[in-house]
Amino acid sequence: MPISRRSLLGLMSSSTFILTASPLAVFSATLPQGGPGLVFAEGVASADPQPDAVMLWTRAEPVSPVEQVKVLIQVSTSADFSSPVMESIIETTAESDYTVRVYVQGLKADTRYFYRFIGPQQTLSRTGRTRTAPAAEQAKDVNLAFVSCQSFEQAYYGAWARMVADDKTAVAKDQIQFVLQLGDFIYERSWNTREDGSEQTRRVPDFPDGVISEHNRHAVSLADYRHLYKTYLRDPHLQDARARWPFISIWDDHEFSNDNYQSYTTYGSSRTPEPQRKLNANQAWFEFVPAVLSDNEQQPAHDFHPGRLTDDEQADNVAAKDSLCIYRKLSWGKHLDLVLTDTRSYRTAPCLPDHYAESLGLPLNSVQLIELADHGAAYNKSNPPEHLPYGDGTIANPWRDRAPGSCMGQTQRDWFLRSLDESRSTWKLWGNALPLLPMRIDLSALPLTDYEDSVVGIDAWAGYPHEMNLLMSHLRDQKIPGVVSLSGDHHMHGAGTVSWTADDLEAKPLAADFAVAGISSTPFFESIVAAAKNQSAEFADMVYSEEENDLVPLWHMTMLQGVLASYTYAKTSMETVANWLGPNNANPGLRYMDCTANGYGLAQFHAGDMQVQLIGLSRPREPFKTPPEIGYRARFRLNAWSAGDHPVLEGPTFDGDAPFPFKEEAV
């Protein structure tokens, strides 16, 4: 990827170094002399492979305080460093918390490299392994892992341990080439207990600054966010993964603040502007999560450039959210373009305030209410009603003059659609923090009620249906094939196809979405069970059933087969009878869900098809000496399709103990 002179100057001023590889007969640079030794406690990492370049990273902390340290970096094509291609002495300072990013260019395409860092007194980092991408014309298969949501406190990192162990024994053609990290690398908030009141699996040490409330603690300062990254990265299994594979990373909300938008936080019932906190979060992400972001003619992404805050809310919001831009496009040979988005920094405020549906007499946020609020002035072909269709019909429509909501912002959305238009790859892979899959409850199916189909949460794409329809309609109108989303955030596995609107049961699918459960974060089922226990019995019957001191996840049945099916099972425990009552027509295209899982995803892209495994781990909260066993693999297949055709998703089929209600399909 060519880097402009303007970007080079920016890189050199922000602790990123650009170095060029060339064949060397032998390493010959003098090791750093004098000064304290270095500790590489957070390991090493690499990121964003290009056909001729890759970003390398470490944190080189001196054992005694000094402002600046020198580090020798070495790169080789052999693990014993007998085939050197680059070495150089670089510097890092306390200003960047001793982190360093090295963009090594001049490498060979589709080639594995090894790298390490050496400090004074022969202090040595671990060896990292990375690789470059295939050249644009190379018709190479692609193997990747995709992950999300790794709360340090809520479980151990057995998923990383399992992934590394299996990859070491896999045949070469099946080994992982890179990891797609879809956000929530850290959690800015540390809860005192789980939602059921039990203790957390482990604890983040006290923040240097932080805010302490009755139920949790959260990061606010740059030192706090750095503290989180250092705590997470000292886990040996996460370190092993970052040393073994290059990562391609985006963020979701917890890298800054739960359910945030732009530089606003939403812990309470009202929004709070926190531009300095957003700047702190962005700087720490830039320091600890390596990525190739620097400006050039093709990419909007750019490195961290802190804006000056002036106590003007609007100007400070812009300065904070624009201090770091991470949406970008990468390619992996002939068959894969990877388009990475940021669905936090440019989104509009939530379309509905908390408890608004309740004030209208609705049990949940209904699909129609969300569309009225989010579409705003564009509702009903720009003819929104003057009054809401609730109560006695006299409640004024507060969104009648509101511009439609956006999860991307127009600039990013235009870039995203242009990237899809211009791609000639077989597969257009969307690295997407938020699931596209519709997650609707078909309450309208209940007899003798006037309930509407509803949605539990509006923080994800479900809360931005206007823009979602714009994106999918573009795929339909431009006949763009091969679009697949890999997504995270929801703490559950899911798979399905997506059409231009979930309201049209006859609409043909246009894309596929595979949502991955959290590496370690509390599965969605536990959260919704905790909520259901404080709600009506009718809602609880959509969520779980108690059998033999265990909870059956009826939520899967509700999403896939509908409320009549889950109600029937709750009363009879007869799955066969319940199955007669589906499907849930509010969720067309949804093929699979497991909201009880922790785990990860694997995806293989070929010229003719792609295959996905969603992997559920056993006992993620138990400490382990050997990697925990895999509970099941849910397998899917999607054939490549041409312009004007439509994706046909096959699966799931299972290896192992499949979750309810799929157990009969397990092998």
Side-chain angles (χ1 to χ4, degrees):
M1 184 178 76
I3 295 183
S4 66
R5 182 177 179 274
R6 176 166 61 94
S7 297
L8 175 60
L9 293 175
L11 285 165
M12 295 301 288
S13 65
S14 59
S15 299
T16 302
F17 298 86
I18 299 177
L19 303 175
T20 301
S22 60
L24 301 176
V26 65
F27 287 127
S28 59
T30 303
L31 292 176
Q33 300 297 315
L38 304 179
V39 178
F40 301 91
E42 291 75 30
V44 299
S46 64
D48 287 14
Q50 319 286 313
D52 63 346
V54 70
M55 182 72 79
L56 306 180
W57 176 94
T58 195
R59 179 172 182 268
E61 183 179 13
V63 296
S64 57
V66 293
E67 180 61 27
Q68 177 177 293
V69 296
K70 293 184 177 181
V71 187
L72 175 68
I73 181 173
Q74 295 180 332
V75 180
S76 174
T77 55
S78 58
D80 64 359
F81 290 85
S82 61
S83 305
V85 298
M86 193 278 295
E87 69 173 344
S88 182
I89 292 179
I90 54 179
E91 297 177 349
T92 184
T93 68
E95 183 180 1
S96 65
D97 202 17
Y98 303 106
T99 60
V100 61
R101 295 164 303 281
V102 182
Y103 184 79
V104 182
Q105 59 187 4
L107 301 174
K108 293 182 179 179
D110 196 27
T111 301
R112 179 170 291 166
Y113 290 92
F114 299 86
Y115 62 98
R116 64 187 179 189
F117 299 87
I118 305 173
Q121 302 181 29
Q122 300 289 328
T123 46
L124 182 67
S125 76
R126 68 183 298 165
T127 295
R129 191 186 77 156
T130 191
R131 60 168 299 145
T132 50
E137 69 280 1
Q138 285 184 271
K140 301 284 290 187
D141 292 341
V142 186
N143 297 336
L144 64 90
F146 58 109
V147 300
S148 181
C149 302
Q150 55 177 25
S151 168
F152 181 84
E153 297 184 318
Q154 293 168 6
Y156 293 102
Y157 288 167
W160 286 123
R162 181 76 269 159
M163 195 189 307
V164 169
D166 286 354
D167 196 64
K168 287 180 177 179
T169 60
V171 297
K173 70 179 183 61
D174 292 332
Q175 288 186 337
I176 295 166
Q177 295 162 339
F178 64 88
V179 174
L180 178 59
Q181 208 285 331
L182 294 162
D184 292 346
F185 190 97
I186 60 165
Y187 275 62
E188 92 295 352
R189 190 158 50 166
S190 298
W191 292 91
N192 298 337
T193 65
R194 301 187 192 280
E195 291 181 83
D196 63 4
S198 61
E199 291 186 2
Q200 300 280 21
T201 299
R202 49 186 179 174
R203 188 179 188 275
V204 170
D206 291 343
F207 290 113
D209 301 304
V211 170
I212 301 175
S213 66
E214 179 182 358
H215 300 292
N216 58 68
R217 304 164 290 140
H218 70 263
V220 290
S221 68
L222 177 58
D224 291 339
Y225 285 101
R226 286 171 168 173
H227 170 72
L228 285 168
Y229 284 104
K230 284 182 277 192
T231 298
Y232 279 53
L233 287 172
R234 286 173 186 172
D235 182 279
H237 308 294
L238 176 56
Q239 269 199 36
D240 288 347
R242 295 229 302 181
R244 183 168 181 82
W245 304 294
F247 274 48
I248 297 173
S249 302
I250 56 175
W251 59 45
D252 190 25
D253 52 344
H254 287 289
E255 285 87 353
F256 168 35
S257 181
N258 182 53
D259 291 355
N260 69 77
Y261 69 96
Q262 300 176 38
S263 67
Y264 292 90
T265 61
T266 58
Y267 284 163
S269 58
S270 61
R271 68 178 192 175
T272 303
E274 296 195 70
Q276 184 59 59
R277 189 174 167 211
K278 172 66 170 169
L279 283 172
N280 296 337
N282 281 4
Q283 180 173 343
W285 189 93
F286 176 66
E287 290 172 344
F288 285 87
V289 179
V292 178
L293 305 175
S294 308
D295 305 4
N296 62 47
E297 291 74 13
Q298 290 79 37
Q299 297 281 14
H302 65 74
D303 286 1
F304 179 69
H305 300 309
R308 187 172 65 89
L309 304 184
T310 62
D311 292 329
D312 177 277
E313 180 177 327
Q314 183 174 357
D316 288 353
N317 176 54
V318 171
K321 71 183 181 67
D322 290 349
S323 64
L324 182 61
C325 180
I326 69 165
Y327 64 89
R328 61 203 191 275
K329 178 182 173 183
L330 302 171
S331 294
W332 196 271
K334 181 179 179 180
H335 293 310
L336 185 73
D337 279 342
L338 175 54
V339 186
L340 304 158
T341 56
D342 175 358
T343 48
R344 290 291 168 183
S345 299
Y346 315 103
R347 65 161 57 191
T348 53
C351 64
L352 290 169
D354 292 344
H355 309 298
Y356 191 82
E358 182 181 343
S359 73
L360 298 175
L362 298 173
L364 295 166
N365 288 327
S366 72
V367 171
Q368 178 178 249
L369 178 63
I370 293 169
E371 290 183 347
L372 277 164
D374 178 63
H375 284 62
Y379 185 82
N380 189 30
K381 298 180 180 179
S382 300
N383 187 29
E386 292 186 18
H387 299 90
L388 299 181
Y390 304 107
D392 61 4
T394 62
I395 302 173
N397 178 0
W399 311 291
R400 197 163 186 265
D401 298 320
R402 178 185 184 267
S406 174
C407 199
M408 286 184 169
Q410 183 172 342
T411 299
Q412 181 181 194
R413 182 175 71 237
D414 291 346
W415 166 84
F416 176 76
L417 293 176
R418 186 168 61 252
S419 296
L420 297 182
D421 290 342
E422 295 172 352
S423 174
R424 297 296 175 263
S425 292
T426 307
W427 300 101
K428 295 86 175 167
L429 174 56
W430 181 2
N432 178 14
L434 304 173
L436 301 177
L437 297 171
M439 296 297 188
R440 297 179 173 185
I441 308 171
D442 61 339
L443 294 181
S444 66
L446 293 175
L448 305 178
T449 73
D450 59 356
Y451 289 159
E452 299 178 4
D453 293 345
S454 299
V455 176
V456 171
I458 61 170
D459 182 61
W461 278 106
Y464 296 87
H466 181 267
E467 186 167 63
M468 176 72 170
N469 291 351
L470 286 178
L471 298 178
M472 293 301 114
S473 296
H474 186 89
L475 300 189
R476 178 196 61 189
D477 297 343
Q478 300 302 314
K479 297 181 172 58
I480 300 174
V483 176
V484 174
S485 163
L486 299 182
S487 58
D489 179 72
H490 277 17
H491 300 188
M492 61 189 180
H493 287 326
T497 55
V498 185
S499 62
W500 75 274
T501 172
D503 298 324
D504 182 357
L505 295 179
E506 302 302 319
K508 297 293 185 181
L510 300 162
D513 185 32
F514 298 92
V516 67
I519 285 281
S520 57
S521 300
T522 298
F524 179 79
F525 182 62
E526 294 185 33
S527 301
I528 199 167
V529 165
K533 288 182 175 180
N534 295 320
Q535 300 292 327
S536 65
E538 289 78 8
F539 185 69
D541 284 344
M542 291 188 287
V543 176
Y544 68 93
S545 176
E546 295 190 54
E547 295 182 10
E548 300 178 355
N549 299 318
D550 196 12
L551 297 183
V552 177
L554 292 187
W555 187 250
H556 300 164
M557 186 172 278
T558 298
M559 291 290 100
L560 291 158
Q561 293 155 263
V563 293
L564 290 179
S566 54
Y567 278 161
T568 299
Y569 186 92
K571 303 306 180 186
T572 68
S573 297
M574 297 176 65
E575 188 174 342
T576 301
V577 175
N579 286 338
W580 293 343
L581 299 171
N584 178 356
N585 287 327
N587 284 333
L590 183 63
R591 295 292 296 272
Y592 179 67
M593 175 182 291
D594 178 11
C595 62
T596 69
N598 285 111
Y600 54 93
L602 300 174
Q604 294 183 318
F605 293 84
H606 312 289
D609 71 351
M610 70 165 294
Q611 299 173 28
V612 170
Q613 299 178 47
L614 295 176
I615 294 170
L617 266 289
S618 299
R619 300 181 295 278
R621 292 176 184 171
E622 295 182 10
F624 58 89
K625 292 184 179 179
T626 59
E629 295 300 317
I630 290 174
Y632 72 84
R633 297 175 187 263
R635 297 179 182 270
F636 304 86
R637 184 173 180 270
L638 186 67
N639 283 333
W641 68 98
S642 303
D645 291 335
H646 304 281
V648 177
L649 180 61
E650 300 174 12
T653 60
F654 294 92
D655 303 333
D657 189 15
F660 175 89
F662 295 96
K663 289 186 179 296
E664 292 184 1
E665 301 178 38
V667 178

